[in-house]
Amino acid sequence: MTLLICNSNLFVPVILTKILSNQEETFLVLVDQDCFKNLFEFLCLQNVILIITRNPSIKQIYSTKKTLLKQLNKYKITDIIFFHNEFGDISNWVIHKLSSKAQIYHGNIYDSLPYPIIYNFKGLKLKLKHQVLYHTNIDPKYNGNRFIPSLSKKFFQNNHVHNIQCISNLTIINKYLNHKLNIDQNKILLLTGSVVASHQIDEQTYTQYMNNIISTIGENRILSKCHPRFNDLFGQECKLQQIPSFIPANLILNNFEYFIGYNSTLLVEAAIAGKKAISLIDLIPAINPQTPQSWHTFFTNRLQKDYTIYFPKTIEELLSYIHL
């Protein structure tokens, strides 16, 4: 039996493609967030057994590992497929724990983040934490605001990880989703949530700019989808028709022509899919003046050649990219 590790929206299209293309095979799917639990329960896939866990606190880690291992040991797992290069926590421990029994495969959908590895006190503390709690070798990368645990080469070597090709088929996914979701063909999807909660933009500034954007475009032309882990809506965002937040927007790329957001990774996928992706990082003033440059670096790393994300500096420039 194959265990698929799902801990980011970026990986859902590849995971669903594999599941829907091999309906005679039963898959274990390990999720560590409510949004993925809600998604797979909503989809009701007959060939999926869902394993739900949480990234625990230090006090809970022993009991969480014990419970999770007891669940996994019910099945004869021959293959584990994961897709992440950063974070992972309890999923990384599962990979380590089962690597002597199962073949481990990594689908590299996106390269590791391009931030520098810094071994100061905080960096070393993070590295030690992941080594002790999860038996995971990480490189502590710093993006200018915080440290990010990035899987090191040693992790891949120690767990005998093999690389595999990732295949995403939105056609087969849309065929399954169309009878589940009632979404007409629309033009604009607004990607909301997270930027105020994560203290990148203050609430008053964000609300002022978003109200202006929605009023100018027209709320009847826009659908909204919150970030799966942040359901915060402000001002006129509350009036828009909402797509359930647990539905990854990369599953409904074919339903829209334009995607507008701040720092959503979905903008990269939309651009690659031939849609017009528009980021607001140069339009809405950030609390930290370095935030826009950090996100420019992120998008540059994620975006393949010959694809474009637009970064308007004014609402007038934003409107020039949209043909209503």
Side-chain angles (χ1 to χ4, degrees):
M1 185 176 287
T2 298
L3 172 66
L4 303 172
I5 294 177
C6 180
N7 52 15
S8 170
N9 283 326
L10 293 172
F11 314 143
V12 172
V14 171
I15 289 171
L16 286 184
T17 297
K18 189 166 186 65
I19 291 168
L20 292 170
S21 301
N22 299 276
Q23 296 192 39
E24 73 289 347
E25 183 180 349
T26 299
F27 294 91
L28 291 173
V29 178
L30 177 64
V31 301
D32 60 4
Q33 298 168 35
D34 284 336
C35 58
F36 301 124
K37 170 183 174 289
N38 295 338
L39 171 65
F40 281 96
E41 288 179 347
F42 172 79
L43 292 175
C44 294
L45 293 157
Q46 298 301 307
N47 60 331
V48 166
I49 299 171
L50 201 59
I51 304 290
I52 302 164
T53 188
R54 294 288 185 272
N55 286 316
S57 66
I58 293 177
K59 290 182 180 179
Q60 298 169 323
I61 194 161
Y62 175 77
S63 60
T64 299
K65 287 178 179 179
K66 185 178 178 181
T67 301
L68 182 54
L69 197 60
K70 186 176 179 180
Q71 286 180 284
L72 293 171
N73 281 339
K74 294 177 183 177
Y75 309 98
K76 186 178 180 180
I77 299 172
T78 57
D79 303 291
I80 298 175
I81 304 176
F82 72 101
F83 307 90
H84 58 277
N85 286 303
E86 281 78 33
F87 301 103
D89 293 8
I90 199 72
S91 299
N92 298 331
W93 176 81
V94 169
I95 293 168
H96 158 77
K97 195 70 178 176
L98 300 183
S99 62
S100 61
K101 302 177 183 178
Q103 289 286 334
I104 313 297
Y105 298 94
H106 179 242
N108 191 40
I109 295 177
Y110 290 105
D111 291 338
S112 182
L113 292 171
Y115 303 122
I117 299 169
I118 297 180
Y119 284 109
N120 60 12
F121 176 74
K122 287 185 178 180
L124 287 171
K125 183 179 177 182
L126 182 67
K127 186 175 181 67
L128 181 62
K129 172 189 172 183
H130 281 262
Q131 182 65 60
V132 172
L133 297 183
Y134 306 114
H135 297 279
T136 301
N137 288 290
I138 64 108
D139 292 324
K141 292 187 175 181
Y142 188 65
N143 71 353
N145 294 308
R146 60 171 180 160
F147 278 91
I148 295 171
S150 181
L151 297 179
S152 69
K153 289 182 180 179
K154 213 176 245 188
F155 174 85
F156 290 88
Q157 293 167 356
N158 291 348
N159 294 294
H160 309 290
V161 178
H162 304 273
N163 294 321
I164 58 169
Q165 184 179 6
C166 296
I167 299 173
S168 176
N169 187 331
L170 280 181
T171 300
I172 192 173
I173 293 171
N174 288 152
K175 186 178 179 181
Y176 186 83
L177 269 180
N178 280 347
H179 73 281
K180 292 278 185 183
L181 290 171
N182 184 24
I183 303 175
D184 295 327
Q185 200 74 17
N186 287 275
K187 283 201 168 186
I188 301 171
L189 183 64
L190 182 64
L191 306 166
T192 60
S194 83
V195 293
V196 173
S198 58
H199 308 293
Q200 297 181 72
I201 303 172
D202 73 76
E203 182 178 335
Q204 184 177 354
T205 300
Y206 179 83
T207 304
Q208 177 186 340
Y209 274 83
M210 292 310 301
N211 283 353
N212 198 353
I213 290 169
I214 293 168
S215 296
T216 304
I217 295 175
E219 63 184 56
N220 61 318
R221 294 190 174 104
I222 306 172
L223 267 69
S224 171
K225 200 199 84 68
C226 271
H227 188 285
R229 296 189 298 279
F230 298 90
N231 286 319
D232 47 333
L233 293 168
F234 302 96
Q236 292 192 39
E237 290 179 344
C238 301
K239 298 179 181 179
L240 301 176
Q241 180 183 341
Q242 302 292 324
I243 294 171
S245 61
F246 60 79
I247 301 293
N250 53 13
L251 299 183
I252 51 175
L253 284 172
N254 291 343
N255 293 82
F256 300 91
E257 294 181 33
Y258 303 96
F259 292 80
I260 301 175
Y262 188 77
N263 56 1
S264 174
T265 54
L266 189 277
L267 295 175
V268 175
E269 295 178 89
I272 293 172
K275 308 295 182 174
K276 187 158 281 188
I278 302 170
S279 168
L280 304 176
I281 59 175
D282 288 342
L283 197 157
I284 306 179
I287 294 172
N288 183 343
Q290 295 180 351
T291 295
Q293 185 53 52
S294 176
W295 285 115
H296 272 291
T297 301
F298 172 84
F299 283 129
T300 300
N301 170 256
R302 288 289 193 245
L303 200 61
Q304 300 171 13
K305 290 181 180 179
D306 303 322
Y307 297 104
T308 302
I309 292 176
Y310 297 87
F311 299 96
K313 292 181 171 59
T314 64
I315 292 179
E316 290 71 26
E317 186 181 355
L318 166 63
L319 292 176
S320 71
Y321 300 134
I322 300 172
H323 303 288
L324 300 173

